[in-house]
Amino acid sequence: MADTIELPWRESPGPSALSDVKVLRKIYENTIISINGLSENRIPKSQLRLQCRYLQKLDLLERRGSELYSLTTKGEEFIEGKRKIPRSGGYLDLQKLLNLSDHRIADLSLLNQEDIKQKNYDIFREVESPQIETDHEYSVDVRDPRRKSRKVLSAKKWKLDRILREFPRTEPITSQCAHWVTSLVSLHLFPDANHRTAMITLYQLALANGVVGEDHRWPGNETEIGKAVLLSKFHRHLSPERNFGRLWRRDTLYWHWYQYFEYLLFNVEYPAINHHSEKVLREKLKRVRNN
């Protein structure tokens, strides 16, 4: 690839991918098309979702509705050969074209799917250990205690690999953080402690990429993160069932975490955290679960 922004799904696309040029050409041929139409049940919608977002940032696409896109005048000129845009092998040179902030997560090399599974397993072992005092809980729905560890470690490797591979490296940091937590929480890859696992691993990434320092108050004080998790469970219960076809969508669960990270990283007020007591949030969650 000509650009130095690491997007693994672009660097080794294989047959189940559309290059940027092919995406633009297909939209040109259809005038307006949805992510689903681009996919044709063949190309991962999650990848197309990310492509269309950065093509929109480049003023080549215009959003016409929920996951509906058409070409802008600039996009039409490019497809018609009237405008030159740096590219290589069908993919646009994002390093030259996008004005990306350094304040984002660009390097995920320190984390792999085994690391994420291990973090969750460490939480499980801490709760299970009689030598460690903790207020945390970890629920595993198996009768045989000998099968608990196996259940905790049963998260599918390919699912975690795909989240890492497709992670939206071109998005702003707040969006990246929201996507990371939303993905791990909504896909519910572990029997329990999905929120804790998401926040611990995200902190590793944020720290390694210079987004936060070791003195940062991550993940917020006990009350703040407690309320954030309760609200997250509330939104997750109301959201459509998430699968990989919906990966990187911006639903209410995503926007909840987006606002929380705006608050945590940039001190932007998040009324839902500051204006509701934990008791009220627990009651709301209980009601929605019982309905």
Side-chain angles (χ1 to χ4, degrees):
M1 299 297 297
D3 59 64
T4 58
I5 299 172
E6 293 185 11
L7 298 174
W9 52 273
R10 282 176 36 135
E11 293 166 9
S12 53
S16 60
L18 284 179
S19 70
D20 295 339
V21 174
K22 287 181 178 178
V23 167
L24 293 169
R25 184 169 290 122
K26 193 166 184 178
I27 297 174
Y28 179 81
E29 292 168 354
N30 288 272
T31 308
I32 297 177
I33 196 169
S34 66
I35 294 293
N36 194 52
L38 283 169
S39 169
E40 295 182 337
N41 294 320
R42 183 174 60 88
I43 311 299
K45 289 189 280 291
S46 51
Q47 292 181 17
L48 292 168
R49 202 166 281 131
L50 298 180
Q51 277 181 282
C52 287
R53 282 186 196 157
Y54 65 65
L55 291 172
Q56 185 181 5
K57 284 183 184 178
L58 295 173
D59 193 29
L60 297 171
L61 290 186
E62 180 180 357
R63 188 174 175 182
R64 291 300 189 93
S66 178
E67 304 211 317
L68 281 172
Y69 291 93
S70 66
L71 293 191
T72 61
T73 300
K74 183 178 176 181
E76 290 176 351
E77 290 174 351
F78 172 66
I79 291 299
E80 292 169 355
K82 300 174 183 176
R83 180 185 289 267
K84 299 290 185 182
I85 297 178
R87 58 181 169 132
S88 174
Y91 287 95
L92 304 186
D93 188 341
L94 301 183
Q95 189 69 34
K96 292 181 179 178
L97 296 168
L98 284 178
N99 182 21
L100 295 174
S101 167
D102 291 333
H103 196 66
R104 63 188 175 89
I105 296 170
D107 182 8
L108 283 81
S109 61
L110 83 154
L111 201 64
N112 60 38
Q113 51 86 10
E114 288 292 350
D115 297 324
I116 301 171
K117 290 177 71 170
Q118 186 62 48
K119 290 298 178 187
N120 185 268
Y121 187 66
D122 289 345
I123 296 169
F124 164 72
R125 290 188 63 185
E126 180 181 295
V127 171
E128 290 287 299
S129 173
Q131 283 81 37
I132 301 175
E133 290 187 15
T134 177
D135 294 329
H136 291 150
E137 298 178 356
Y138 196 113
S139 176
V140 187
D141 188 21
V142 293
R143 293 183 179 180
D144 186 351
R146 294 170 297 181
R147 295 180 55 206
K148 280 189 174 182
S149 293
R150 191 185 309 169
K151 180 73 172 179
V152 173
L153 292 169
S154 66
K156 300 295 185 185
K157 294 180 180 180
W158 71 265
K159 293 183 178 181
L160 292 166
D161 279 337
R162 183 161 167 188
I163 292 171
L164 289 165
R165 176 179 168 83
E166 290 187 12
F167 182 75
R169 291 163 173 82
T170 61
E171 298 281 322
I173 182 58
T174 310
S175 181
Q176 289 182 321
C177 291
H179 275 309
W180 180 264
V181 177
T182 300
S183 299
L184 290 183
V185 166
S186 60
L187 290 169
H188 212 264
L189 302 177
F190 302 101
D192 204 351
N194 288 276
H195 285 93
R196 280 170 276 169
T197 303
M199 293 302 287
I200 290 169
T201 51
L202 180 57
Y203 176 65
Q204 284 184 272
L205 292 172
L207 193 63
N209 283 268
V211 173
V212 297
E214 292 183 357
D215 59 344
H216 193 273
R217 62 187 196 90
W218 190 283
N221 64 42
E222 187 176 346
T223 300
E224 291 168 341
I225 189 60
K227 289 181 180 180
V229 170
L230 287 171
L231 281 164
S232 180
K233 291 177 178 179
F234 178 84
H235 287 295
R236 180 179 179 271
H237 188 83
L238 295 177
S239 296
E241 183 178 353
R242 185 175 289 262
N243 51 42
F244 277 92
R246 297 182 62 83
L247 190 63
W248 316 128
R249 287 201 71 159
R250 293 170 173 171
D251 57 12
T252 58
L253 181 60
Y254 163 86
W255 286 115
H256 157 61
W257 282 109
Y258 182 92
Q259 290 175 90
Y260 183 73
F261 285 111
E262 282 278 278
Y263 171 69
L264 182 65
L265 297 174
F266 304 111
N267 295 315
V268 177
E269 185 182 5
Y270 183 15
I273 292 291
N274 297 324
H275 298 167
H276 296 289
S277 70
E278 191 169 330
K279 180 181 178 181
V280 168
L281 293 176
R282 287 190 183 279
E283 289 173 351
K284 287 181 66 175
L285 179 60
K286 184 178 180 180
R287 284 198 301 270
V288 77
R289 282 176 167 174
N290 290 337
N291 287 340

